[in-house]
Amino acid sequence: MGKAARKKIDRPHEFQAEVAKLLQLMVHSVYSDRDVFLRELISNGADALDKLRYEAIKKPKLLADTPLLSIVIAPDKKAKTLAIADSGIGMSEDELIDNLGTIAKSGTQAFVEKAGQGLNLIGQFGVGFYSAFIVANRVEVVSRKAGSDEAFMWASDGAGTFTVKPAKKATRGTIITLHLKDDASEFLDGRKIERVVCAYSDHIGHPIMLADGKEDPTQINTANAIWTRAKADVTPEQHKEFFGHISGAYADPALTIHYRAEGRHEYTVLLYIPAERPLDLYDPERKGRQKLYVKRVYIADDAHLLPAYLRFVRGIIDSEDMPLNLSREMLQNNPQVAAIRKAVTNKVLNELKKCARNDPENFAKIWEVFGPVIKEGLYEDMAHRDQLFEVAKFRTTKSAAVLLKDYVAGLKENQTAIYYLAGEDALKASASPQLEGYKARDIEVLLLTDPVDSFWVRTAMGFDGKPFKSVTQGAADLDLIPLKDAPEKNDEADGVTAKLIVAMKEALGVQVKDVRNSKRLTDSAVCLVADGDLDRTLEKLLSRQQDSGVRVSAPVLEINADHPLIIALSRVADSGGRSISLADAAQLLLDQAQVLEGEPVTDPTGFAQRMSRVMTKALM
Ligand code: ADP
Ligand code: MG
């Protein structure tokens, strides 16, 4: 919008479709926790004051008409209105139209769909302003942008359209006037307002004044930034309130990290790990993860203070020694920001590790929600990989989520590697024939089924001195680990199948790299394994990516010398018997191994013909 809209100043503007839908929800809501609208409007006022303070560093003149930065709440019992005024940055005509007529953020559609289930997601989606319609049937916004002498009034009754007209306002900032619904008159009561402000907005770093006409306006919040207080002086309720302010969540955070760093750089950190998954966790445009302040002045909310795989961490970092006039563009390559990021990343990972150790139940919940995101760090951030291995949990053949530390503690005697199987589906993977020998020895195997797993596992050196080893790769080195209950395999088995192996190799030619006796099979007759440096699944995954340069190489076909079919075929091979064509059998076994991996058979026609021949023979 903008220029074209500007010419038609008298015609009502239509709300963006999503906004209209959202407004309908608000207007008709029977929302029990209606107080939130006040938190949202105060929060917007505080943001506007923060923005002004930042701009005024370069242009002190902006502060001239009203030096005081504050929010004033004024109920009017006679008119049944509630006004919320701030002396912040204000909005121009275009900004009124754009900011209060559309929802800029992506993922809005998803929100509107979910909002039908309840409004407690409001704050997360930057739709805070529209919550005014929970209690008001008409909303007027008069705003004057700092540095301009024009003012405009935005007005709407929440039903599809809004108007924007020139207006009069003596000083910079914004006044929002709510014409309260009949059932919302409780918000005309000063004590009620005070209670709500105390509950939700006490920490706002600007004074919030109540002007209820009786006496001089009184300040109703503490107005000191929560992070500047000593750690022990902040109560869990205050953390919940502040966490709610910056994240839009209504729950307690799962983890709170509050400390002051001293030394080369001085800064205060107050970060929270949410307990619930934000809807836009995978939105690439997601911003506002951690806010940067310098000496209590808000600077930016996308200063890259933590790596992307910690994007769910919310909070602030307040530097004591960065220059205030640092432009947002300069933050990108600022060495001090880089140093802070490194230190704070370490701190967050250490706190996660502590939590995993001391409060496993809480950690399990955090991991369930954010684990797949944290795991992105395993390939994005080599420098912290070892620390990430300390907190990463994996699904295994024995457990839904296990720490590597606990996996290693449960190693079998003589087990020297951390075994894994990569796959796209845990259920399918756990039924793989390649796992049989491991199960028979009660060896736990990691099931790596997240897409990110295929990237880090190729280059990972190992954990606690134990390398990662795929169960579908190379010869299985299981000889030294005893079977759980079955007797040890007969060594003569090797001799039994020698002739069969020769015959199969000849029949299969270049389709396989080798045919050999398996140590990993106990139930199935055959399976495929990789001989190169890549796991089979990874090889397949990577070969699908065009520029990876990886091609699927010929596999090794392993056969189970204890399997009745292999024993019988061995006899045929030894006796030179002709009851079945060994070439057909070899090809069918290879097809079978492929099917077991979820792959189609290479030559369906040939497969059908061979199958028919073998069945006919069996029936004759
Ligand atoms: P959010 O605060 O998450 O961006 P809101 O719906 O609460 O979403 O507000 C939408 C936008 O309207 C804000 O981003 C801001 O640009 C503008 N806005 C709202 N209230 C004010 C205000 N009091 N002063 C200046 N701008 C405001
Ligand atoms: Mg807001």
Side-chain angles (χ1 to χ4, degrees), residues 91-385:
M91 281 177 275
S92 67
E93 181 188 9
D94 281 352
E95 284 169 339
L96 279 169
I97 295 170
D98 287 344
N99 296 343
L100 309 185
T102 58
I103 307 176
K105 303 201 175 112
S106 45
T108 306
Q109 189 61 44
F111 167 72
V112 172
E113 275 155 25
K114 295 225 170 171
Q117 303 156 18
L119 291 175
N120 55 346
L121 299 166
I122 289 174
Q124 273 190 37
F125 266 81
V127 292
F129 169 76
Y130 304 106
S131 66
F133 288 95
I134 297 175
V135 294
N137 46 31
R138 180 176 172 76
V139 176
E140 289 156 6
V141 182
V142 175
S143 195
R144 177 167 155 186
K145 179 100 180 169
S148 154
D149 46 17
E150 287 183 314
F152 292 89
M153 187 204 293
W154 178 104
S156 174
D157 54 11
T161 60
F162 62 92
T163 55
V164 176
K165 295 183 176 134
K168 288 222 157 50
K169 190 174 185 313
T171 53
R172 100 180 158 249
T174 304
I175 303 178
I176 300 178
T177 305
L178 311 178
H179 296 262
L180 294 175
K181 295 178 186 172
D182 286 340
D183 64 1
S185 50
E186 58 180 315
F187 294 105
L188 296 169
D189 176 5
R191 278 164 312 180
K192 167 79 183 177
I193 294 169
E194 209 172 323
R195 269 203 306 277
V196 177
V197 169
C198 258
Y200 288 128
S201 312
D202 190 47
H203 67 277
I204 296 275
H206 305 277
I208 301 173
M209 319 291 290
L210 177 65
D212 57 2
K214 283 185 217 137
E215 38 200 295
D216 283 343
T218 46
Q219 183 168 336
I220 53 178
N221 68 330
T222 327
N224 72 2
I226 174 172
W227 62 89
T228 60
R229 295 183 219 160
K231 186 175 170 152
D233 293 346
V234 187
T235 65
E237 290 73 37
Q238 287 165 333
H239 277 303
K240 180 178 178 176
E241 176 212 315
F242 184 65
F243 169 61
H245 166 66
I246 52 174
S247 72
Y250 287 85
D252 281 304
L255 204 64
T256 299
I257 303 169
H258 185 190
Y259 69 101
R260 210 182 140 75
E262 269 152 14
R264 209 148 72 83
H265 302 298
E266 270 185 37
Y267 52 90
T268 304
V269 175
L270 177 52
L271 296 174
Y272 301 99
I273 294 180
E276 286 157 15
R277 178 187 158 156
L279 284 166
D280 56 348
L281 188 57
Y282 291 98
D283 182 350
E285 283 168 47
R286 180 185 156 85
K287 276 191 187 158
R289 296 152 195 161
Q290 307 91 30
K291 293 175 193 276
L292 175 66
Y293 282 70
V294 173
K295 297 187 193 71
R296 254 74 59 216
V297 176
Y298 164 78
I299 303 291
D301 61 8
D302 51 356
H304 304 279
L305 293 169
L306 283 175
Y309 63 89
L310 295 176
R311 59 183 173 272
F312 53 89
V313 178
R314 308 300 296 256
I316 66 95
I317 294 172
D318 188 351
S319 161
E320 286 304 322
D321 40 26
M322 272 198 318
L324 262 171
N325 56 4
L326 197 70
S327 82
R328 286 183 187 142
E329 296 68 46
M330 283 161 64
L331 287 173
Q332 286 268 0
N333 307 313
N334 183 283
Q336 204 161 336
V337 171
I340 291 178
R341 174 169 50 232
K342 191 158 162 241
V344 178
T345 303
N346 274 329
K347 179 72 176 185
V348 171
L349 293 179
N350 274 335
E351 290 296 315
L352 281 171
K353 182 176 156 188
K354 254 198 242 163
C355 177
R357 199 172 43 211
N358 303 335
D359 190 359
E361 220 170 284
N362 189 25
F363 183 77
K365 282 188 211 140
I366 294 176
W367 186 260
E368 198 182 316
V369 183
F370 300 113
V373 177
I374 299 175
K375 271 168 120 190
E376 290 171 14
L378 286 174
Y379 73 94
E380 274 174 14
D381 189 0
M382 299 284 216
H384 290 104
R385 194 183 259 176

Side-chain angles (χ1 to χ4, degrees), residues 344-490:
V344 178
T345 303
N346 274 329
K347 179 72 176 185
V348 171
L349 293 179
N350 274 335
E351 290 296 315
L352 281 171
K353 182 176 156 188
K354 254 198 242 163
C355 177
R357 199 172 43 211
N358 303 335
D359 190 359
E361 220 170 284
N362 189 25
F363 183 77
K365 282 188 211 140
I366 294 176
W367 186 260
E368 198 182 316
V369 183
F370 300 113
V373 177
I374 299 175
K375 271 168 120 190
E376 290 171 14
L378 286 174
Y379 73 94
E380 274 174 14
D381 189 0
M382 299 284 216
H384 290 104
R385 194 183 259 176
D386 286 343
Q387 270 170 292
L388 284 160
F389 278 144
E390 307 261 4
V391 298
K393 292 184 111 176
F394 297 94
R395 180 187 278 276
T396 72
T397 44
K398 291 186 180 180
S399 139
V402 75
L403 287 167
L404 285 180
K405 167 175 79 70
D406 296 332
Y407 176 96
V408 169
L411 287 189
K412 291 281 164 264
E413 211 183 323
N414 293 331
Q415 181 183 346
T416 51
I418 298 171
Y419 291 111
Y420 72 87
L421 174 64
E424 285 167 70
D425 172 317
L427 211 63
K428 262 196 224 156
S430 61
S432 296
Q434 284 96 339
L435 286 173
E436 289 169 3
Y438 298 83
K439 285 183 188 156
R441 288 169 176 80
D442 197 33
I443 299 172
E444 189 169 19
V445 176
L446 308 185
L447 299 173
L448 302 183
T449 51
D450 272 322
V452 299
D453 291 329
S454 49
F455 293 97
W456 64 262
V457 77
R458 296 169 60 199
T459 51
M461 298 303 287
F463 175 81
D464 200 12
K466 312 281 181 298
F468 291 98
K469 193 163 188 306
S470 164
V471 301
T472 68
Q473 189 180 8
D477 44 3
L478 296 176
D479 286 341
L480 294 172
I481 306 173
L483 286 162
K484 202 163 41 169
D485 34 35
E488 193 50 69
K489 255 195 196 182
N490 187 354

Side-chain angles (χ1 to χ4, degrees), residues 40 43-44 47 126 128-129:
E40 295 302 328
S43 173
N44 284 350
D47 288 349
F129 169 76

